[in-house]
Amino acid sequence: MAISDPAGAAARLTVDLGAIVENWRRLGRLAPATAIGAAVKADAYGLGAAAVAPALARAGCRDFFVAHLEEGLVLRRLLPHPARIFVLNGVSAMAAAVMRQARLIPILNTPADIAHWQAEARRAGTPLDAGLHVDTGINRLGFPVAEFAALLAEPVRLAGIAVRLAMSHLACSDEPAHPLNHLQLERFRGAAEHPALAGVPRSLANSGGLLLGPEFAFDVARPGLALYGVEPRAPGRGMLLPVLGLEADILQLRDVDAPDTVGYGASHPVRGRRRVATVAVGYADGYMRAAGNCGAGLIGATEVPIIGRISMDLMTLDVTDVPIEQCRPGSAVTLIGNGLPLHRVAAAMDTIPYEVMTRLGSRFARHYVGGEA
Ligand SMILES: *Cc1c(COP(=O)(O)O)cnc(C)c1O
């Protein structure tokens, strides 16, 4: 199924929905008593929530997490009730009515979030579903532990709110030995044990958290990255299926020789006779400039180094070692996938897979495969 195919797109992004569903099932086997939800914020990490979320819902995923109201509204059109859509960043006074009408469930992070949702519950004349977020050590979003305890100690402060989830978020889940993981676990257990939360499902784990061990899994998990094929702490171990592929066609080939240079700033001095291929992917497509002169592509089994700077719409690769029949104008160069895993590409860009995925550009032709009902 091709969702979008911009005319003349010179690069193709392939998203394997079947692999996402399979990764979701594999995470479920790690924690059989846990409902595995899905973080689909930021357009499912750039992969396209409109395709990813319904594929997961068809497979039985029920809980979806987005960051913003707008993301929740888009998702609600694709995922009818009973899919639950949690909005992590809370609820503003402006957003409350729209959020209720779309049956989105805000995660309440601050006293102001609570006040806005309570006011909406009064207008609606009925209690409204919400999640509560306790910050156990990331110091980013949610009620500090002491404030959380004070809140729960006075039931009237949650009047009109039907608490459906008690959650916290780990700061170091991709570092299993980090002492903060167990500290956060203990704080979360303590915070969620309050009698006011009796029977309320608990959620602590993102992808890394699920891999820390069963004690981190609780009732609901919120993985993102692992669904999209990247194992947080041992990428490439093969526990998950790769999801993302990026391929571009060669626009032009040229032979160069010393003392030629390649690209802006003449930053790549050619040493001897080399063949240079140009493909139409650049930093405006999210292929980050930091990979200039250090990243690579693949043609068949041959690794082809990126030479020169990445420019806005183009990059150049040294294809001297590629057999000539695999390397003509129009031949495909793999930039992500098929032996070139996303975590390696991210490392060449001096960043993390999350950032690479969420920057994937709008000029690619996007192809979705697998994941049917
Ligand atoms: C983004 C996010 C997740 C998902 O994290 P991954 O590391 O991609 O699994 C889970 N919970 C919260 C609060 C998040 O912001």
Side-chain angles (χ1 to χ4, degrees), residues 74-154:
V74 170
L75 208 56
R76 182 47 97 203
R77 281 178 234 126
L78 302 159
L79 300 177
H81 203 71
R84 301 198 296 176
I85 302 170
F86 293 93
V87 179
L88 291 165
N89 286 3
V91 55
S92 67
M94 298 274 287
V98 178
M99 218 175 242
R100 174 174 64 80
Q101 280 148 22
R103 303 178 78 161
L104 305 178
I105 307 177
I107 300 292
L108 307 177
N109 301 301
T110 66
D113 282 343
I114 290 184
H116 300 143
W117 205 229
Q118 274 176 326
E120 188 57 27
R122 278 196 299 276
R123 280 191 289 274
T126 179
L128 296 179
D129 291 353
L132 288 181
H133 188 174
V134 54
D135 189 324
T136 51
I138 191 170
N139 288 315
R140 188 180 70 166
L141 195 62
F143 291 91
V145 169
E147 253 186 64
F148 192 70
L151 177 70
L152 296 178
E154 283 183 77

Side-chain angles (χ1 to χ4, degrees), residues 27 38-41 45 65-67 88-89 107 133 140-141 167-170 173 203-210 221-228 230 232 354:
L27 294 177
V40 292
K41 59 195 184 185
Y45 292 29
F65 295 85
V66 296
L88 291 165
N89 286 3
I107 300 292
H133 188 174
R140 188 180 70 166
L141 195 62
M167 66 162 274
S168 191
H169 191 52
L170 296 164
S173 65
S203 176
L204 178 62
N206 62 341
S207 302
L210 267 173
R222 314 181 304 270
L225 191 71
L227 297 177
Y228 310 130
V230 181
Y354 298 85

Side-chain angles (χ1 to χ4, degrees), residues 176-238:
H178 201 292
L180 192 49
N181 290 319
H182 277 272
L183 191 58
Q184 287 196 269
L185 176 63
E186 287 318 309
R187 287 175 180 161
F188 183 60
R189 277 208 186 109
E193 238 162 39
H194 196 284
L197 294 177
V200 172
R202 293 174 291 172
S203 176
L204 178 62
N206 62 341
S207 302
L210 267 173
L211 298 171
L212 286 176
E215 68 275 29
F216 286 84
F218 290 96
D219 304 300
V220 177
R222 314 181 304 270
L225 191 71
L227 297 177
Y228 310 130
V230 181
E231 202 177 326
R233 60 174 203 253
R237 198 169 61 163

Side-chain angles (χ1 to χ4, degrees), residues 20-352:
I20 294 176
V21 166
E22 175 58 23
N23 290 336
W24 179 77
R25 293 199 172 109
R26 289 184 185 184
L27 294 177
R29 289 199 281 275
L30 286 181
T34 301
I36 308 295
V40 292
K41 59 195 184 185
D43 200 22
Y45 292 29
L47 299 183
V52 170
L56 283 166
R58 284 194 295 274
C61 180
R62 178 153 172 259
D63 297 321
F64 296 85
F65 295 85
V66 296
H68 297 282
L69 166 66
E70 194 55 44
E71 295 176 339
L73 294 175
V74 170
L75 208 56
R76 182 47 97 203
R77 281 178 234 126
L78 302 159
L79 300 177
H81 203 71
R84 301 198 296 176
I85 302 170
F86 293 93
V87 179
L88 291 165
N89 286 3
V91 55
S92 67
M94 298 274 287
V98 178
M99 218 175 242
R100 174 174 64 80
Q101 280 148 22
R103 303 178 78 161
L104 305 178
I105 307 177
I107 300 292
L108 307 177
N109 301 301
T110 66
D113 282 343
I114 290 184
H116 300 143
W117 205 229
Q118 274 176 326
E120 188 57 27
R122 278 196 299 276
R123 280 191 289 274
T126 179
L128 296 179
D129 291 353
L132 288 181
H133 188 174
V134 54
D135 189 324
T136 51
I138 191 170
N139 288 315
R140 188 180 70 166
L141 195 62
F143 291 91
V145 169
E147 253 186 64
F148 192 70
L151 177 70
L152 296 178
E154 283 183 77
V156 62
R157 290 181 61 191
L158 287 170
I161 291 173
V163 182
R164 301 299 184 203
L165 194 72
M167 66 162 274
S168 191
H169 191 52
L170 296 164
C172 303
S173 65
D174 55 348
E175 295 175 60
H178 201 292
L180 192 49
N181 290 319
H182 277 272
L183 191 58
Q184 287 196 269
L185 176 63
E186 287 318 309
R187 287 175 180 161
F188 183 60
R189 277 208 186 109
E193 238 162 39
H194 196 284
L197 294 177
V200 172
R202 293 174 291 172
S203 176
L204 178 62
N206 62 341
S207 302
L210 267 173
L211 298 171
L212 286 176
E215 68 275 29
F216 286 84
F218 290 96
D219 304 300
V220 177
R222 314 181 304 270
L225 191 71
L227 297 177
Y228 310 130
V230 181
E231 202 177 326
R233 60 174 203 253
R237 198 169 61 163
M239 190 211 138
L240 301 167
L241 298 180
V243 165
L244 180 64
L246 178 62
E247 269 196 349
D249 296 339
I250 294 175
L251 287 182
Q252 194 178 5
L253 288 157
R254 79 185 64 249
D255 292 314
V256 294
D257 199 350
D260 283 334
T261 61
V262 178
Y264 280 126
S267 68
H268 177 82
V270 175
R271 298 183 221 295
R273 289 188 57 78
R274 308 302 290 173
R275 172 158 277 212
V276 182
T278 303
V279 303
V281 172
Y283 60 76
D285 302 295
Y287 202 99
M288 292 159 79
R289 198 166 167 276
N293 283 317
C294 78
L298 269 183
I299 299 180
T302 312
E303 190 159 313
V304 289
I306 295 172
I307 54 174
R309 289 186 189 156
I310 309 281
S311 47
M312 186 181 294
D313 319 298
L314 300 168
M315 70 169 78
T316 38
L317 305 115
D318 184 333
V319 296
T320 314
D321 299 335
V322 181
I324 193 83
E325 67 279 4
Q326 287 180 27
C327 192
R328 304 221 157 86
S331 297
V333 181
T334 298
L335 295 175
I336 300 173
N338 276 336
L340 195 55
L342 178 58
H343 67 92
R344 264 190 57 206
V345 176
M349 296 173 176
D350 197 20
T351 185
I352 51 176

